[in-house]
Amino acid sequence: MLRRLLVITVPLLVALVAALGIPLASAVVQRETQTTYLDRLGDARRFASLAESALQSDRLLALDFEIQRYDQLFDIPVALVSADKRLLLTSRRGFNPTNDPGVVAVLNEALNGIQPDTDYSGWPWRTGPMVVVEPVGRDSEAVAAVVTISQTGALRAEILRQWGLMALAGLAPMLAVVAAAWPMSRWVLRPVRRLDEATAAVAAGNLDVRADEVGGPPELRRLARSFNTMVDVVGKALNRQRAFVADASHQLRNPLASLRLAVDNLSPHVEGEHGQEAHQIAVEEAEEMGRVLDTLLAATRLDSARKTEPVEIDQLLVTHKPSWQALAKKSGVDLKIEIPAGLTMQEPPGGLGSVLDELVSNALRLANATEVRITGRPGELHVVDNGDGLSDSEREQALQRFWRATKHQNIAGTGLGLAICAELIESAGGELTLHDAGPGLDVKVALSA
């Protein structure tokens, strides 16, 4: 979260600095360009003034010396061009501005009495020279023009230097803000991180963890106090639930055991076919009450068991396979186990073996199948039968507690086993789903390795 906050904040800060810096950088370019242009224009006007006198007296020697000396000192070539585009004077051999179409266009404006403005701007990526043309004479009576062509390397270097100083001036406060934002963000987000850690611990079943109520902004401290209060309330509720489970287990098991013993003891005293039938119903009802109690207690204990750990399926099969085979033989069903060696999966609370026991038992007792196959591959286990199966609507309801298919109403069961298995698998980060095997039912258990 800290990185995401900085990723949002820093670009906004950079955009703000850019919004302020770009106009300022443009102003620097315009200022330096204007300063250089005015300096060159002043020189050109001086030469134009000298040229006007020299042309009137027909004495160009002094002017020729001046422009050559100027060129030697400043490395800026100067030329005097007549109204009919003839080159009258030049500061260096081979320099003739009338050969450049761009210069000729500016010359035409100057010779027509229009003071031309430079279109040059000193952006660092623009490498062309700065052309300055000053007419000799007044208004439309221009008899010649002075042309100077200046290289702009020094101008662009000065602009880059000032840009660099501006960048440093802008970077320093930006870095200061980022440096301040880092510890400030950590201070703000530290309670959030600790609250996240506490939430994860509570979700894992550790209700003794509490969030930090001391550090961070007041709003987050209030949130931490509210979270701790919520955990206290949940913890007390779970403790009362567990206490109820313990009390119910103690208070109900003994009366049920006594009831079962009493019903069994009635057997020698029951006479007649109808009496024996009623007695058998009473025994079965007592056994059913015991099974319901066991499954209810198991369902209540689900929330207190969260820890998972990997288990090797090979070791699990060694323990559970004999009982599955015995139950299959008793039911007259062919049981096939096709699990690859070395398969490892996360074991849910209560054990993956108990889940498979329930799934295999359901397939053997309820499916009306002739064959049950247990197959596996990395991340998946399947218990598949070739029996009657379930319809689409029945498969959607089959994982609900106490739901039983209409065709299974007369078969012993509570309707809780499959729902508890689904919750156990889900608590381990997996999923239990039902699929049509055509014919039969495919119960898929998906768990990470």
Side-chain angles (χ1 to χ4, degrees), residues 150-212:
S150 308
Q151 298 301 320
T152 56
L155 171 62
R156 289 182 280 110
E158 176 62 19
I159 292 174
L160 284 175
R161 185 186 71 83
Q162 295 193 31
W163 280 8
L165 293 176
M166 289 169 49
L168 290 176
L171 187 62
M174 187 173 67
L175 291 177
V177 171
V178 172
W182 184 271
M184 181 66 68
S185 301
R186 290 180 63 86
W187 175 74
V188 171
L189 296 177
R190 185 180 296 112
V192 178
R193 185 176 65 254
R194 292 179 177 174
L195 181 61
D196 179 65
E197 294 171 353
T199 304
V202 170
N206 185 3
L207 298 180
D208 296 328
V209 176
R210 295 295 181 272
D212 182 14

Side-chain angles (χ1 to χ4, degrees), residues 49 71 105 124 151 153 240 296 298 309 315 352 363 436:
S49 177
D71 191 357
Q151 298 301 320
R240 288 195 295 267
L296 285 174
E309 57 185 12
Q315 297 180 357
L352 183 57
D436 183 21

Side-chain angles (χ1 to χ4, degrees), residues 323-324 327-328 331 335 354-368 372 374 383 411-412:
S323 61
W324 297 345
L327 184 59
S331 303
L335 178 65
S354 62
V355 172
L356 291 177
D357 284 343
E358 179 67 22
L359 299 182
V360 173
S361 175
N362 285 349
L364 295 175
R365 293 186 305 108
L366 306 176
N368 190 27
V372 173
I374 304 174
V383 178
I411 302 177

Side-chain angles (χ1 to χ4, degrees), residues 407-441:
K407 56 191 172 186
H408 299 153
Q409 295 297 328
N410 296 325
I411 302 177
T414 62
L416 283 171
L418 197 58
I420 293 175
C421 289
E423 293 183 26
L424 288 173
I425 296 300
E426 184 177 354
S427 67
E431 185 180 18
L432 188 148
T433 53
L434 307 180
H435 305 274
D436 183 21
L441 184 68

Side-chain angles (χ1 to χ4, degrees), residues 363-393:
L364 295 175
R365 293 186 305 108
L366 306 176
N368 190 27
T370 59
E371 179 184 278
V372 173
R373 291 185 295 110
I374 304 174
T375 62
R377 61 182 181 180
E380 294 181 7
L381 285 175
H382 294 262
V383 178
V384 185
D385 63 72
N386 63 351
D388 298 334
L390 298 175
S391 66
D392 293 342
S393 60

